[in-house]
Amino acid sequence: MSRTTGKWNVWSITFLALLVIGLVYSVISSPLTFLIPIVVLGGIFLLYKYPPAFLRGYHSQQGRTQVKQSRAAAPKSKVNKPRSKTVPFRVIEGGKEDDDLPKYH
């Protein structure tokens, strides 16, 4: 008995076929059950993609003034800033030596 490692085997094709048949039958028998969730999800998507002005957050930044640095002043601030000193790592010796525990876990 060999199992195929491919993505599509007999069971997945059967499952998908029954799923499609069930969905088509549901849409034909009662289309309103699929229309309501589609409208709700579509409305949520539209609100997410194109939010109204009161949800965008423009009112929170009206009182703040934004100051942009000129391009000539920006490199000078980086040049004047001293670089931090690189310190090599140190090994701190531990004081506990236990012979009961193995050295490598």
Side-chain angles (χ1 to χ4, degrees):
M1 197 158 126
S2 67
R3 297 187 82 181
T4 59
T5 58
K7 187 176 179 181
W8 298 102
N9 58 14
V10 175
W11 295 110
S12 60
I13 293 171
T14 306
F15 177 74
L16 286 176
L18 290 174
L19 182 73
V20 168
I21 290 170
L23 284 174
V24 169
Y25 178 75
S26 303
V27 169
I28 291 172
S29 65
S30 58
L32 191 62
T33 18
F34 282 95
L35 186 64
I36 292 172
I38 289 173
V39 168
V40 169
L41 291 175
I44 290 172
F45 176 75
L46 285 176
L47 284 175
Y48 176 73
K49 191 74 173 163
Y50 307 105
F54 69 91
L55 291 178
R56 288 186 190 155
Y58 287 128
H59 63 279
S60 64
Q61 293 182 358
Q62 285 177 352
R64 298 181 184 174
T65 58
Q66 295 181 353
V67 178
K68 292 185 179 180
Q69 273 188 334
S70 66
R71 291 186 183 218
K76 290 180 184 177
S77 64
K78 289 183 181 179
V79 172
N80 292 338
K81 185 177 179 181
R83 296 187 65 179
S84 62
K85 196 184 280 189
T86 56
V87 180
F89 292 106
R90 295 187 300 162
V91 176
I92 301 172
E93 297 294 329
K96 179 181 178 183
E97 290 197 23
D98 198 358
D99 293 333
D100 295 339
L101 293 175
K103 229 171 171 84
Y104 301 103
H105 297 279

